[in-house]
Structure formats: C-alpha cells, structure tokens
Amino acid sequence: MIPVAFDYHRPRTLEEAVDILRQYGDEAKVLAGGHSLIPALKLRLAAPKVVVDISRLPGLSEVRRSGSGLSIGAGVTHHQLMVDPLIAKLCPLIARTAPEIGDVQVRNLGTLVGSICHADPAADWPAPLLALEAQVVIVGPEGERTLHINEFIEGMLTTRLAGHEIVREVVIPRAYPASCAYKKIRQSASGFAIAGVAVQLEKKNRKCSSIAIGVTGVAQRAFRARLIEKSLQGAELDEKTIAQAARQVTEEVNDFLSDLHASAAYRAALAQVLVQRAVLAALAA
Amino acid sequence: MAKTAGKKSVTRTGKASAKAPRRARQSAAKAAPPASQRVDFFKLVPKPRFVGKPVKRKEDVRLITGAGHYVDDLRLADMLHVEILRSPHAHARIVSMEVEEARKASGVVGVFAYKEISSLCGDVPLAHPGIPDLKVPHHPVLADGEVNFVGEPAAAVVAESRYAARDAVDLIRVEYEPLPAVVDPEKALAPDAPKVHKELADNLSFSWEVKGGDLDEAFKKADRIIQQRVRSQRLIPCALETRGVIAQYLTGEEQLTVWTSTQIPHILRTQLSGMLKLPESKVRVVAPEVGGGFGSKLNVYAEEGLLSALARLVAPRPVKWIETRRENMAATTHGRDQIGELSIAACADGTVLGVKHDCIADIGAYHQLFTAIIPTLTGLMLAGSYRFPAARTTLKGVFTNKMPTDAYRGAGRPEATFIIERIMDLVAAEFNLDPVEVRRKNFARKFPFSTPTGLAYDTGDYEKALNQALKLADYQGRRARQAKARDEGRLVGIGLSTYVEICSMGPSKGMAAGGWESATVRVSPTGSVEVLTGTCAHGQGQETVFAQITADVLGIEMDQVKVQRGDTGNVPWGVGTFGSRATAVGGTAVFEAARRVLEKMKKVAAAALGASAAQAARVQIKNGKFWAGKKSLSFAEVAFQAHRGLVIPEGETPGLEATYFFEPGNFTFPFGAHICQVEVDRDTGEVSIQGYWAVDDCGKPMNPLLIDGQVHGGIAQGLGQALYEEAVYDESGQLLTGTLMDYAVPKATHMPWLHCERTETPTDVNPLGVKGVGEAGTIGSTPAIVNAVIDALRPLGIKHLDMPLRPEKVWRAIKKAAAAP
Ligand SMILES: Cc1cc2nc3c(=O)[nH]c(=O)nc-3n(C[C@H](O)[C@H](O)[C@H](O)COP(=O)(O)OP(=O)(O)OC[C@H]3O[C@@H](n4cnc5c(N)ncnc54)[C@H](O)[C@@H]3O)c2cc1C
C-alpha cells in the first residue's frame, strides 16, 4: 500500500478519539476494520491527514443487552455477529446476515458500524437494519445524538455523520423472533450484494401480523419495501400472494442502479425474486 | 511412431497453405537420437522409487510458510525506488510534460521521460512470428509523444523511498490532447476508423491463413451448413504475485544484473542485451521465486528495459519497481480476445466434414513477445481431437487502444478447443444427436494422426478417456435424471469436452526461438547433487519432479538433490517454462545429464575399485552403492574419487558434471474428457455447478499430486472464463475492470468438487513418455461448462451464448426465449 502520508492515532478512550476528531475535523478519518478505508487509501481515493484507529477502544467490541433489545458496539466484527449467542437469541436476522458478508478475512476484521458509516449501496447490513428499525448512536464534541438507520444513511457513500463525530453503537430496540431471512445475489468479483433482501415477520394463526422488508444493493440507498409490506400485512402468506405483492418492488423506488455488474432492469427483477424467496424462507424459519 | 507421424504429416500437408508461418507448421522434425538408440527412463530405472509416486512438493514448505524470496523480498544496499506515471487516456498526444516540481520533491533522485531514456534503451521486442507483412509499430519503454492505451508508461520517478516516488508521480503535470480511441476490433477495421498508430496505414497488423483438405468438396457434400459466431473474451491473467524488477549496474565490472519475476530469464537476457546494446556477457538475469505467471510473465516488458536503463543512469545504486495490482491489471499482458465466424459442414449422422473459421484477434496497442503468434495457434489446433478432412482459419490481427494480448494459460488452444467443442455440440443439437455420439463419430483414431492444419499428433486414445469419464460421471444415469428434472421444469444441463492440446513446446523448427532445453547435473566432491535447469518453474513443481528423476537415476535420496533455476549466472543456457515444456523437454534434459553422470560414476567406481574389464562393464548401483564384482564404493566416495583426480579412467577427465541440451522431435498432444453438470436458476440466471468429472491423459505421470494440482488450478481458470471473467473497456478505452473488486477471478467458494482420474498413453517423443499437463484443465473445462449451460437452456430454444455466462446474460436470454413466439 502506497497511500498519501498520514498521521496515525490510536486513542485510549472514546473521549480522546472525539477530541482528536474535533481538532482535525474533515482532515481526519476513523479507522475501524479498515476493509473499506484501507482500499480507498491504497488507491488514493481517500487521503486523510490523520487516521484515528478506534478498533481497540475498550467497551466498543461487545454486543450487550439494551432495554429489551441489544446494542452492537462500533468494534464488533461481522464474525462476532455470526457467533454471538445474544444475537442468535434476540436478533437472529443479524446472525443470518453476517455469514453472507465477504469472506473469512473480511468478516474477521470488518465491522457492522464501519459498514453503515461507509454507506456503500451494495453493503448487506442496511437491509436487516432497516427491517429491525435500528438506531444509530453518535457521539461528538457536542455530546450524543441518535438517528434512525433510515435517516443516518443519506445516499450513496454519504451519511448524516459530521466529520468530528463517531458512531459508538447501533441499537436494535427490541428482540425479534426467528421468522426472518436474508437472501442475496452476490456480485461475483467483490461478493457485495447486487441485490439483498431482509425479511422479519410475525405470524398470528396463518396470517402475517407484521412484516418488515429491507432491500439493499439495487438503488442509491437501501430502502424499506413499504408497498409490499402493506400488501402482505394481515394477509395469508401463500406463494401466490407473496409473488403478487413482490411485483410492486419496482414502484418502491425510482433510482435502480445500473453498472458494469447489473442493469437496473436486472436488479429490479432480482429484488422481486429475492423478496419472494426471503419471505418464504422467513416463513419456514 | 512419432517420427513416422512427422514424415506423414509433412507429405500429407504438402497441400496445406504455404502462408502459415514456418515455425508453427513444422511439428515433425528429425528426432534427436533414433528411438532405437535411446535409453528410456523406465528401461534404465524399471522400479523407480520416486518417479510416478505422489511425492509432496519440495518447494511447498518455504512457500507456505512465507520463507521464499520473491523480487519484492530482495532488499539491496542503497536501493532506490521507481514509480511510473501511466497514461490515463486510451489514446492521446502528449503536448507537454512538466517535471520540475516532481524533481524538486523531497527524496526524489530523478524524473525520466522518453528523451532521457531513448538513447539507452530501444523498443520493446517481439519474437519473429514468421508472418509476412507484419506491421510492427514503434514501441518505446516510455511513451514517445503519444500514448496508446490506459496504463502505458509515460514517465518514471526514481526516489529514495517508494512513497517519495509515488508522491512525486502526482506532481508531474502532463498536458494530453485526447485523440479518438478505437476499442472494438471489428470497428477498428472500418476504413474510417481512428488509427491507433498514425505511422501505419490502418489498424490491421497482420493477416494469416492456415488451411488443408478440400473445403469445397466438404461444403458440397454436407447435409447442412451451420453458422455460428463465437467469442473468446479478453481475460486478465492475475498472477498472485504481480510483476517486479530490480536492476543494478556495476560500472567498474560493467555488469548489469536484473532480478525480475519472469518465466524466461535466458530469453529475457538476450532481448535485454539487444534493447540496451550490451553484450549478453554483461547482462545477468535472475528470476527469484515467481508467484505464478500463466503466460503473463512469458514476455519482455517495457519496465524490464526501463529499470535496466535507469540502473545505468544511477549506477551503482540498484533500482526497484514493484507493480501494484492495479498496474498489473492494466499493463500486464491480457489473454484471448478473439472473435470467430464459423461455418461448419456437417452430415445428418453427426459427421463433420469441414470447418471454416474467420478470426479477428484484438491484439491491443502493440506487439509484445508472442502477441501475433498466439492466435495462430488457435488456427493450428482447430481440428481438435477429430478427423474431419478440411479446415481453414483466416486470421486478422487488429490494433486497438488496449493493453496488448499475449500468452495466457493455454494460449490459443483454449480458444481453438472452445470453438471445436462448441461445434460438436452445435452439430449434436442441429441433428438432435447425443453429443457423446457425435464425438465418437468424429474422433481421430489412428496415430500418428495428421491434421489438415499440418500438425502430427503423437499418440492418443480419445475414446478411452471419454469412456472412462462417462463412467466416472455416470453419464447414462445422469441423462435420465436430467430428463426427469426437465419434466419438472428445471434447467439442468450436461456438457462435455473431449480436448486435445499441444505441449512440450517444442521442436526448434516449430518455435519462434529454440525449442530445446538444457540441464546440468553436477556432483560435488562430497556427493551433494545440483541440478541446473534452463526451465523456470513458477508454481509448477519442477523442483520436485527434477529431484525425483535425478534421485532415481543416480540411486540417491531426493533431498540430496538441489534444483537450481532462474539465474543466467549459473544455469548454462535455457529457454524457460511455458507451453507445458518444462517436464517433457527440460525433464528429459535432466534425465540425459543425470544418465551421463551415472555412466561416468560407474567408470570412476570401477577404476577406483580396480575392477576387471568385465566387472567394469557391469557396475551396478544397489542400496546407494556402486558395485563392481564383490567390492563397492558409496555414492560420496565415487564423487570424491572423481574430484581427487588419482583414479580417473581412460578417456575421462576429472570432475563430475554433465550438461545436456535436449531437442524434442515433435510436440506432444495430451488429451482428455471433461464432463460438467449445471443447473440454471430460471428466475435469476445464476449457474450452479452440480458436478465436475475429468479424465486427463498427460502421458506417463511423473507425480500424480502435481498433476492433480495443475488440473485443479486449470479447471478453476477455465471456469473463470466460462462464467465470470472479462476485461471490460468502455467506449473511450477506460478499463472498467481494473481492480479485483470488479474483475471476478474464481475463488474457493466458486469451485465445485472435482472428480479427477487419468488414462495413460505415453508419448515416444521423449524418453520419459511424459506429455505435459499445465494447460489441460483450462482447455478442457471452459467448453465443458459452457456446453452444460447451453444444454440446460436448450429446451428454451437457446443455441449459443457468449462467455462469460454471467447471471444477467443468462437471465436475458431466458426472458428473450420466453417472449419469443
Ligand atoms: C474483499 C471484500 C469483500 C467485501 N464483501 C462485502 C460484502 O459481501 N458485503 C458487505 O456488506 N461488505 C463487504 N465488504 C465491506 C466490509 O464489510 C467492510 O468491512 C465494511 O464495509 C466497513 O467496515 P470496516 O470496519 O472495515 O470499516 P473501515 O474500513 O475501517 O471504515 C469504513 C468507513 O467508515 C468510517 N467509520 C468506521 N467506523 C466508524 C465509526 N465508528 N464512526 C464513524 N465513522 C466510522 C471510516 O472512517 C471509513 O470512512 C467487503 C470488503 C472487502 C475488502
């Protein structure tokens, strides 16, 4: 790696980290797992003057109970989320998404928080986090604030985070049952999602009492498939109903991505297929 | 057998077009020693302890533990670092270049452009391909006023550290005047197309033709003529280790040493001597560990000349350049990139009578070493494993504003095999026949076999390999289950490929340069054995195989043998490692040299033991000792006597080493049958491989573990071409697949389980009976996988799709087929 020269800081506390960021503002970059930042440094797409490594800050590398839900610290890696017993119990959708990310090396270092801060439209995490109504807890020189994941991610590679702020944790406000699934089609080179759909649902009798569908990879930013959710809410979830509802995915957003790896039409078609498959898988789970 | 093959081929192919380059057409040559006088390995060593056994690789411990030394691991005292400014444009005139700021930057020793370098280093060379009227443009090591592809070197910074050099590159200000770029080779042939090289009349670098047999007759007699356009897309070789060069010029000694990641140190030495106008005696080339090449390091690169020239400018300080992955993808040779228009004359019973193939090869912006030769191999191998009597390839090599193409694993044979194996399936589909039966109907069965393109296949038994593969895959049962799956609406497909390919490159007459290989076997006074080989293994495992051969011949242990390669300072001379030549040609040289050492040791032993003439004639090695009558000497004792110089036998001289240059009489032609089953997801277009079976025949197996390794890796690369890989340039000539996040090389998770077996059909081209296996997997797998996918889609009326068969392409084809009336 031959990046532009930068100063490297490894603060001991979150306060210290915030203090360094306050000093350097936009000239500084936080380093977590480095699996998005390092490639950018390598290609000189990012050239910060200062890199603040938060990956070893005490207390941030844990999954904890938080009210009836749980909190995922900024240092928690994809791998931890795959194997953490609390996650498996309270939030199985997270545990099912984690193994779909990257490869072993990426999962061993990359973090959920780093992923949402990077806001790659092809990243996997936004889909389940939208479905789970995740809250993002941000700290900065002026104190602490919390944003819903949907507000936090603004668009392609942009978030509401200011240059001197750090995300401390992501909070899943409550526990969720096992009826959930994450389905994805991988871009064959990077492994990122060309399309990814997360479904969390609840059933009463044979009817769907609540359903949340997060879709990633297909548009400028991940979104909740509200029209589909509305059609399925209260319905009996048979294959035909699901298939019919899934068709509305093209109406959910109007900015389907088109690139080297997939056209907008193909992404829309995949989203539709994956919604069906994820809902069926969630039902079967 | 091979010799007759040769003779027959020469007479029979007298009819073949004389336009074919001489080098390529002469497959048959005078075989070195007549087979009758030849000593075959398995005669000399009837019960080898090592050859043929699954011996673990000697090189693996150091490579797996990271203890090997690649170019980047070498750190010389006072070393300077080089970074290269590369063109961001596909085609542009350099209006001006301001380097002052870069020159003044801290740590910078110098900034160099064409005018500083041109007097020290000439153009990038090419091997003479024997093609008349070949147009070769000026190809300087740094752009001379014009850049012709994205990634072309334009200037170089030499600095105290790599960081300083890289930072200074950003300080060079170049004003470019963009020129129209041409990216599509067919459009490049249009009369009004922008010209890649203004000094040339057009973008056509060369035309070439090979033909044999009576095509008119074939096309007259055919029941049907099938037309198909096929593409072998552009690929990026992506060796694990990128390229890298260190060069140092010692002014006092007048000695240039170049450490570089290459497959061909000796050829490079000769070529560098020409570029730099230094006699070869003053140039030493060293290839340290080389982390894969796949043909992409079978070349002479601008950077190798550039670094050598820079080394003279900053002498005696060494200069080092290590290629980044991004540079590797843009500026190390690409592979394939051929478009073929096919006409196939076929009979309703599946017999193919003749094939016409009009090929356009997109060669990129320049000629690299073998750029023009590679697509001619496609033409030569067009007959595949079949005996149709007439074939013709016309070839146009076309300049475009892209990275030049050159050898990539298989180099012309995968393209040819893809064509001919698709043809077999197209014929089967056309007449609703089983592709297995079509292949059986057309197989060449008598060996030596002469192709209409002028080659003489040494030995083969294509049906045997096919039958074994069919059994291994349970083909009949599989077809029955496929029928059931189809009834359920599932898209399950089975594909085959029964390939033949060219290895052991090759007889010198059939090559652009010498096709021989050298080896020295040297025994020290204490009995330690060195093997110096002119081949240059970069992952193949010759260190192991050559130790196996030597240990068996000399009756010693493998760990007594040290194999040295890659240094022109200690290896007498050599050609290198490519075209699966190292074991068949280089291994034979090792065998012959070892045999000569053995003969001398027997004589020394007899002399030292005071043996009678009768005993001396029957010296034997048993349990690591030389026996003459009842008396014996150990291996080390004989070695000592040879050097001590007191009991040197009549007619011999002291010392214990032999050098042998082996010239093979022909190429070898390994073959095999690959079968693949896939299922296509109707809704997403994704292809999943459900099973893969391969039976390969590479002649006598020297080491089954190494063969498996070569076959597995080869299949992975062939699968990459079939399903994932493609170098994509946009219309302006920007490389869109410039990182591994966008260019999909197959990873472990993409690989199916492979069921591999072998048949053994020895060659008699060399005394080892070995053919070669480096490219087989790549050649066999691509068409097997594509044929399987097309077979899966056949119920929808789909007859062909171009590679790579990425999900969206398959999905679109399915949608289109569904919409068709
Ligand atoms: C080969 C490869 C394959 C991959 N495959 C996938 C995949 O399949 N799916 C997928 O979703 N992702 C994939 N990724 C991305 C991976 O998940 C990254 O780890 C993740 O996107 C970023 O997390 P990180 O911890 O590495 O963040 P870093 O790279 O350290 O940081 C990323 C960005 O976020 C900022 N940042 C990080 N943490 C904080 C914080 N706490 N507060 C404020 N800002 C912060 C950094 O400044 C930087 O701008 C892949 C990456 C690679 C290299």
Side-chain angles (χ1 to χ4, degrees):
Chain A
M1 179 175 72
I2 317 293
V4 174
F6 57 81
D7 284 333
Y8 173 83
H9 293 260
R10 197 200 290 162
R12 282 194 194 141
T13 63
L14 192 57
E15 292 69 36
E16 207 186 311
V18 170
D19 204 49
I20 300 169
L21 288 182
R22 188 179 45 76
Q23 230 174 303
Y24 293 99
D26 286 341
E27 296 196 320
K29 269 270 175 209
V30 170
L31 175 77
H35 270 60
S36 295
L37 183 59
I38 302 282
L41 292 174
K42 210 164 111 171
L43 297 173
R44 299 196 166 203
L45 297 173
K49 282 227 167 77
V50 170
V51 167
V52 186
D53 185 349
I54 61 157
S55 63
R56 288 176 232 193
L57 284 184
L60 286 192
S61 297
E62 303 170 0
V63 176
R64 288 181 290 107
R65 264 184 204 275
S66 165
S68 60
L70 49 76
S71 141
I72 298 166
V76 174
T77 62
H78 308 313
H79 173 75
Q80 269 175 282
L81 295 169
M82 250 170 90
V83 298
D84 189 280
L86 205 55
I87 291 281
K89 196 165 140 212
L90 300 183
C91 213
L93 180 54
I94 298 274
R96 282 174 207 169
T97 304
E100 298 298 321
I101 292 173
D103 48 45
V104 175
Q105 289 87 339
V106 173
R107 293 195 292 268
N108 279 344
L109 281 171
T111 63
L112 176 143
V113 169
S115 171
I116 63 166
C117 291
H118 187 60
D120 191 317
D124 293 294
W125 284 125
L129 294 183
L130 281 168
L132 300 172
E133 306 282 1
Q135 299 284 335
V136 182
V137 183
I138 301 164
V139 294
E142 285 97 49
E144 188 177 314
R145 62 187 181 121
T146 299
L147 287 176
H148 187 275
I149 179 72
N150 194 38
E151 290 171 82
F152 177 79
I153 297 178
E154 261 185 329
M156 190 182 279
L157 304 175
T158 53
T159 64
R160 285 274 161 76
L161 205 60
H164 50 258
E165 288 183 313
I166 295 180
V167 173
R168 188 181 66 205
E169 66 198 305
V170 164
V171 173
I172 312 293
R174 67 177 182 91
Y176 286 89
S179 322
C180 61
Y182 180 68
K183 293 279 170 198
K184 125 187 222 194
I185 305 275
R186 287 163 167 264
Q187 194 258 71
S188 50
S190 70
F192 274 86
I194 284 180
V197 174
V199 171
Q200 179 72 58
L201 59 78
E202 270 156 274
K203 282 178 295 185
K204 264 213 189 89
N205 303 324
R206 305 202 51 225
K207 293 215 167 99
C208 166
S209 60
S210 87
I211 184 162
I213 304 173
V215 183
T216 190
V218 301
Q220 294 281 329
R221 65 185 196 124
F223 59 88
R224 276 282 286 271
R226 299 278 179 193
L227 298 172
I228 303 173
E229 288 174 8
K230 223 164 116 194
S231 305
L232 296 178
Q233 193 83 42
E236 257 187 57
L237 295 181
D238 56 61
E239 274 192 42
K240 216 174 121 208
T241 314
I242 298 166
Q244 209 141 23
R247 282 204 201 123
Q248 299 167 93
V249 81
T250 50
E251 292 156 44
E252 301 275 4
V253 288
N254 53 18
D255 58 351
F256 280 96
L257 293 172
S258 192
D259 59 24
L260 178 65
H261 304 288
S263 68
Y266 182 54
R267 280 197 161 88
L270 290 182
Q272 185 184 329
V273 171
L274 292 183
V275 166
Q276 291 178 54
R277 290 183 183 174
V279 173
L280 287 172
L283 276 174
Chain B
M1 244 169 30
K3 276 191 299 157
T4 10
K7 272 191 217 127
K8 267 190 197 156
S9 119
V10 169
T11 44
R12 264 197 220 163
T13 53
K15 276 179 269 163
S17 158
K19 278 184 208 156
R22 210 186 56 136
R23 51 144 287 279
R25 300 185 52 80
Q26 257 125 16
S27 49
K30 66 168 171 61
S36 54
Q37 289 171 21
R38 200 173 73 187
V39 177
D40 283 346
F41 175 86
F42 291 95
K43 283 234 178 70
L44 185 73
V45 190
K47 287 200 189 109
R49 292 170 59 215
F50 305 111
V51 168
K53 305 288 187 317
V55 178
K56 282 196 185 158
R57 302 198 337 157
K58 275 169 84 84
E59 45 275 74
D60 277 350
V61 172
R62 70 169 186 276
L63 295 181
I64 289 170
T65 58
H69 287 79
Y70 298 83
V71 175
D72 197 22
D73 297 307
L74 305 180
R75 270 136 230 214
L76 308 186
D78 287 335
M79 194 158 70
L80 293 167
H81 298 263
V82 178
E83 286 283 324
I84 295 169
L85 172 74
R86 293 178 184 274
S87 169
H89 296 283
H91 198 190
R93 199 169 68 80
I94 298 176
V95 180
S96 66
M97 189 183 287
E98 276 177 45
V99 301
E100 271 324 296
E101 207 185 331
R103 208 164 257 160
K104 278 189 261 161
S106 111
V108 171
V109 171
V111 181
F112 303 91
Y114 176 72
K115 61 178 190 304
E116 284 89 16
I117 291 293
S118 57
S119 65
L120 284 173
C121 182
D123 273 11
V124 176
L126 65 153
H128 201 283
I131 296 174
D133 305 325
L134 181 81
K135 279 182 237 161
V136 180
H138 175 34
H139 185 185
V141 298
L142 287 174
D144 178 11
E146 195 170 306
V147 286
N148 288 302
F149 67 93
V150 169
E152 179 164 2
V157 176
V158 180
E160 297 290 343
S161 78
R162 199 175 174 191
Y163 293 93
R166 178 63 188 82
D167 287 345
V169 163
D170 288 347
L171 301 176
I172 301 175
R173 253 176 281 284
V174 187
E175 190 191 327
Y176 291 101
E177 177 197 331
L179 300 170
V182 55
V183 175
D184 176 326
E186 287 172 299
K187 288 186 186 150
L189 286 173
D192 57 347
K195 282 197 290 176
V196 176
H197 299 285
K198 56 180 182 301
E199 73 269 25
L200 302 180
D202 51 35
N203 293 320
L204 181 66
S205 174
F206 62 93
S207 300
W208 178 85
E209 187 181 72
V210 59
K211 65 177 176 198
D214 190 339
L215 276 164
D216 292 341
E217 169 85 0
F219 278 77
K220 217 163 30 194
K221 277 210 300 210
D223 291 325
R224 208 157 304 164
I225 290 162
I226 304 168
Q227 313 270 359
Q228 184 62 53
R229 179 187 164 92
V230 297
R231 247 188 95 219
S232 233
Q233 77 275 28
R234 181 174 276 252
L235 302 177
I236 303 181
C238 294
L240 203 52
E241 183 211 16
T242 58
R243 291 187 291 127
V245 184
I246 298 173
Q248 181 173 35
Y249 187 72
L250 300 179
T251 329
E253 290 81 352
E254 294 183 60
Q255 174 74 40
L256 174 74
T257 305
V258 180
W259 292 262
T260 180
S261 186
T262 185
Q263 301 173 222
I264 45 166
H266 285 90
I267 292 178
L268 180 61
R269 178 197 199 189
T270 302
Q271 296 297 336
L272 277 177
S273 122
M275 289 168 88
L276 302 163
K277 298 187 188 66
L278 279 175
E280 280 148 310
S281 54
K282 295 181 179 175
V283 181
R284 173 179 161 216
V285 173
V286 185
E289 298 288 2
V290 175
F294 311 114
S296 75
K297 294 172 183 170
L298 166 55
N299 229 308
V300 177
Y301 280 99
E303 292 86 350
E304 288 166 327
L306 173 64
L307 270 276
S308 303
L310 293 173
R312 295 190 75 182
L313 289 170
V314 300
R317 296 187 73 179
V319 286
K320 178 182 198 175
W321 166 76
I322 298 294
E323 188 183 52
T324 64
R325 178 59 61 188
R326 225 175 143 76
E327 286 178 294
N328 179 263
M329 302 196 77
T332 287
T333 54
H334 292 172
R336 318 272 193 264
D337 213 349
Q338 298 176 16
I339 302 169
E341 296 284 355
L342 303 173
S343 287
I344 305 135
C347 296
D349 69 352
T351 308
V352 175
L353 299 175
V355 176
K356 294 182 197 164
H357 167 224
D358 295 316
C359 176
I360 291 181
D362 178 345
I363 63 171
Y366 295 104
H367 281 280
Q368 286 282 349
L369 201 57
F370 299 112
T371 298
I373 292 174
I374 304 304
T376 67
L377 287 170
T378 309
L380 290 172
M381 281 310 289
L382 192 68
S385 51
Y386 310 108
R387 59 163 191 268
F388 52 86
R392 185 192 72 202
T393 290
T394 67
L395 169 64
K396 288 187 164 77
V398 183
F399 289 119
T400 56
N401 293 106
K402 297 192 247 179
M403 180 65 206
T405 52
D406 208 309
Y408 172 58
R409 203 165 186 174
R413 292 102 89 202
E415 295 91 321
T417 306
F418 183 71
I419 288 170
I420 194 66
E421 291 303 310
R422 283 295 301 128
I423 286 177
M424 288 299 140
D425 270 37
L426 286 166
V427 169
E430 188 73 25
F431 300 113
N432 213 9
L433 301 167
D434 186 327
V436 169
E437 296 319 312
V438 172
R439 284 173 170 81
R440 284 195 207 283
K441 188 133 236 136
N442 289 289
F443 272 150
R445 285 164 197 282
K446 284 209 188 90
F447 294 89
F449 175 77
S450 301
T451 73
T453 55
L455 296 174
Y457 295 171
D458 53 348
T459 56
D461 189 344
Y462 305 147
E463 193 149 33
K464 186 170 163 197
L466 173 62
N467 286 339
Q468 191 168 326
L470 294 174
K471 199 166 150 225
L472 182 65
D474 179 25
Y475 183 75
Q476 289 308 333
R478 208 157 281 290
R479 281 286 182 206
R481 291 191 290 280
Q482 177 193 29
K484 237 177 105 209
R486 276 185 175 161
D487 289 343
E488 294 163 11
R490 286 164 54 201
L491 300 175
V492 173
I494 300 168
L496 288 122
S497 127
T498 45
Y499 71 91
V500 61
E501 59 132 340
I502 314 184
C503 281
S504 332
M505 298 193 176
S508 292
K509 283 201 211 169
M511 305 278 289
W516 44 264
E517 195 49 86
S518 83
T520 298
V521 173
R522 178 189 291 161
V523 185
S524 78
T526 58
S528 91
V529 180
E530 262 180 302
V531 174
L532 311 175
T533 169
T535 66
C536 189
H538 44 284
Q540 293 83 352
Q542 266 80 36
E543 199 173 317
T544 304
V545 175
F546 292 176
Q548 288 175 272
I549 294 170
T550 308
D552 272 336
V553 171
L554 298 181
I556 53 179
E557 298 302 318
M558 273 179 70
D559 56 17
Q560 286 174 260
V561 183
K562 171 96 177 154
V563 178
Q564 310 267 21
R565 107 281 177 265
D567 186 347
T568 67
N570 68 5
V571 175
W573 213 269
V575 175
T577 289
F578 55 91
S580 284
R581 64 189 310 280
T583 302
V585 188
T588 300
V590 170
F591 168 64
E592 293 291 351
R595 207 161 65 74
R596 280 158 177 76
V597 166
L598 176 71
E599 286 313 310
K600 182 163 179 185
M601 288 184 87
K602 283 182 176 171
K603 288 186 196 161
V604 171
L609 291 169
S612 68
Q615 286 170 330
R618 285 198 318 270
V619 174
Q620 286 195 337
I621 351 178
K622 257 191 301 196
N623 304 327
K625 288 188 164 169
F626 286 79
W627 292 84
K630 293 221 157 62
K631 289 188 284 183
S632 71
L633 280 177
S634 72
F635 185 86
E637 284 164 337
V638 178
F640 177 77
Q641 290 301 339
H643 288 88
R644 179 65 185 84
L646 298 179
V647 287
I648 301 306
E650 278 277 313
E652 293 286 350
T653 51
L656 199 45
E657 75 175 68
T659 295
Y660 191 83
F661 281 59
F662 175 63
E663 167 68 37
N666 190 4
F667 300 105
T668 59
F669 295 85
F671 57 92
H674 286 213
I675 301 178
C676 175
Q677 180 177 317
V678 301
E679 180 156 4
V680 175
D681 185 322
R682 206 182 265 276
D683 299 321
T684 65
E686 287 177 298
V687 173
S688 62
I689 297 187
Q690 298 181 318
Y692 200 98
W693 304 269
V695 173
D696 295 285
D697 191 318
C698 55
K700 271 282 185 197
M702 298 286 109
N703 182 335
L705 277 186
L706 291 177
I707 294 172
D708 284 347
Q710 291 295 308
V711 169
H712 292 172
I715 292 173
Q717 277 173 306
L719 176 135
Q721 172 164 25
L723 299 182
Y724 306 114
E725 294 183 41
E726 180 172 30
V728 182
Y729 284 87
D730 71 9
E731 279 183 12
S732 68
Q734 290 298 324
L735 179 61
L736 300 182
T737 51
T739 73
L740 290 172
M741 288 305 247
D742 289 307
Y743 184 86
V745 291
K747 297 165 191 78
T749 49
H750 291 117
M751 286 298 290
W753 192 257
L754 305 172
H755 304 270
C756 299
E757 288 185 0
R758 274 188 304 280
T759 57
E760 275 181 36
T761 310
T763 182
D764 58 3
V765 170
N766 61 63
L768 301 174
V770 65
K771 288 191 171 183
V773 73
E775 294 84 14
T778 319
I779 292 166
S781 61
T782 306
I785 295 164
V786 171
N787 281 340
V789 176
I790 304 298
D791 185 52
L793 300 173
R794 250 187 83 198
L796 308 175
I798 294 166
K799 289 188 173 154
H800 182 80
L801 288 176
D802 275 330
M803 299 180 289
L805 298 173
R806 291 238 278 265
E808 178 162 2
K809 189 180 284 169
V810 175
W811 174 79
R812 282 186 184 280
I814 294 171
K815 268 189 55 156
K816 199 168 141 208

